[in-house]
Amino acid sequence: MKKKLTALKSLLIVSAFLLPLNLLAQEDVGDLFKASPADATKLVDAYINPLFKGLGVGLNSGWNTSAKTKGFLRFDLRITGTLAFVPKSDQTYDVNTLGLQNVSPVNPSSSTGPTAFGVDNEGALMKFNADPTQTFRLPQGSGIHFVPSPQVQLTVGLPKNIDVSLRLVPNIKLGEDAGSINMFGIGAKVEVLPLIMGKKDKLLPFDLAVALGLTRLNYNLPLDINNGKYANQELDIKINGFSADAIISKNLLFFTPFASVGFNTSNSNLSALGTYDFDAPTIGNPNGTQTYTDPVVIKNNDISGLKASLGFQLKLSFFKIYASYTQAQYSYVNGGIGFGFGK
């Protein structure tokens, strides 16, 4: 019985807010719903974990491109994109390390599969322990080794050298098969030198600031794993990101280079809700299935660590261009444009 799960492809489309980033060719992640919820949870988690790490990095990226804060009620609207690079270590997984109970590789020495962002080849051949004559393949990768994500941000200057930033996507239904998404993020930046030195901060040839950002992404996707047998199947995903940075920059007419060091974290929660039939063949019953409700729950602390960035801001009247590179657990590049008035 063939089962198709389009969640991964839809997530990637959503991660770019409907930009044409159809990166994944395969739709058979549902074939990992095998034998038992415990095994399915481990297999799905191993396969798609780089997606959540990459999206978590994206939620934390692009908050600031200068240490200088804006004047009171001055603002800009920024549209940027991030490419988070999936390291080699997260492009494959080994089922022998997952602690599977009901399925195992046909050849124990050939037990790896590509993650969603691994090579575009199928993974190891797996068997059901209760009936080794029944086999299936681990899904193939996309051949893409980066995770894209966008940021749309409004920043407004407040008194006392403070900026506040807002990222907001109201609940949007993306279509009958693509689910719905909403996102909320809030950030703040405080310029440090005026607090410490008052007007004397003008004597120093650079600006310093500290900044925080917090974001929550919610995504819900209707599923059809069992060819329409159950109408209550859905995927519920929540991703949270937090970042803290210390920033230094220097305004050189229309060009502002900046550097920052900081810390960022992200966590994700994925739940496959509803009723599902799992393939569970046994000797004498090769088409056997078992039925479960809400079978898969995955909770991960995906990203946690230091980061360091270098970048610049190019200002041409009310139009700005941004670009940066960040070295981190998942290194990434960020770039985009902005529109605004006032310093």
Side-chain angles (χ1 to χ4, degrees), residues 1-4 30-34 128 134-136 225-230 276-280 286-291:
M1 179 170 51
K2 187 67 175 175
K3 308 177 185 71
K4 298 293 184 181
D31 284 341
L32 295 176
F33 280 56
K34 302 290 186 181
F128 290 87
Q134 302 297 313
T135 62
F136 66 96
I225 300 296
N226 301 118
N227 298 320
K229 183 177 180 179
Y230 303 107
Y276 300 80
D277 289 343
F278 280 59
D279 288 349
N287 297 317
T289 63
Q290 293 185 4
T291 302

Side-chain angles (χ1 to χ4, degrees), residues 257-325:
F258 74 91
S260 67
V261 293
F263 180 81
N264 74 146
T265 67
S266 72
N267 62 75
S268 59
N269 187 333
L270 177 149
S271 300
L273 305 176
T275 306
Y276 300 80
D277 289 343
F278 280 59
D279 288 349
T282 59
I283 299 296
N285 186 17
N287 297 317
T289 63
Q290 293 185 4
T291 302
Y292 299 93
T293 301
D294 300 344
V296 174
V297 176
I298 299 172
K299 296 181 180 181
N300 282 326
N301 293 318
D302 299 309
I303 295 290
S304 181
L306 299 175
K307 59 177 180 173
S309 302
L310 289 173
F312 68 87
Q313 171 182 287
L314 184 64
K315 183 178 180 181
L316 304 172
S317 184
F318 64 89
F319 178 74
K320 298 177 182 178
I321 298 173
Y322 313 99
S324 65
Y325 171 78

Side-chain angles (χ1 to χ4, degrees), residues 69-98:
T69 54
K70 300 184 178 302
F72 181 52
L73 295 185
R74 302 297 187 180
F75 70 92
D76 69 34
L77 178 65
R78 184 182 308 162
I79 302 170
T80 60
T82 297
L83 295 180
F85 302 110
V86 179
K88 278 283 190 180
S89 59
D90 280 358
Q91 293 179 23
T92 61
Y93 62 99
D94 187 346
V95 294
N96 286 335
T97 68
L98 301 182

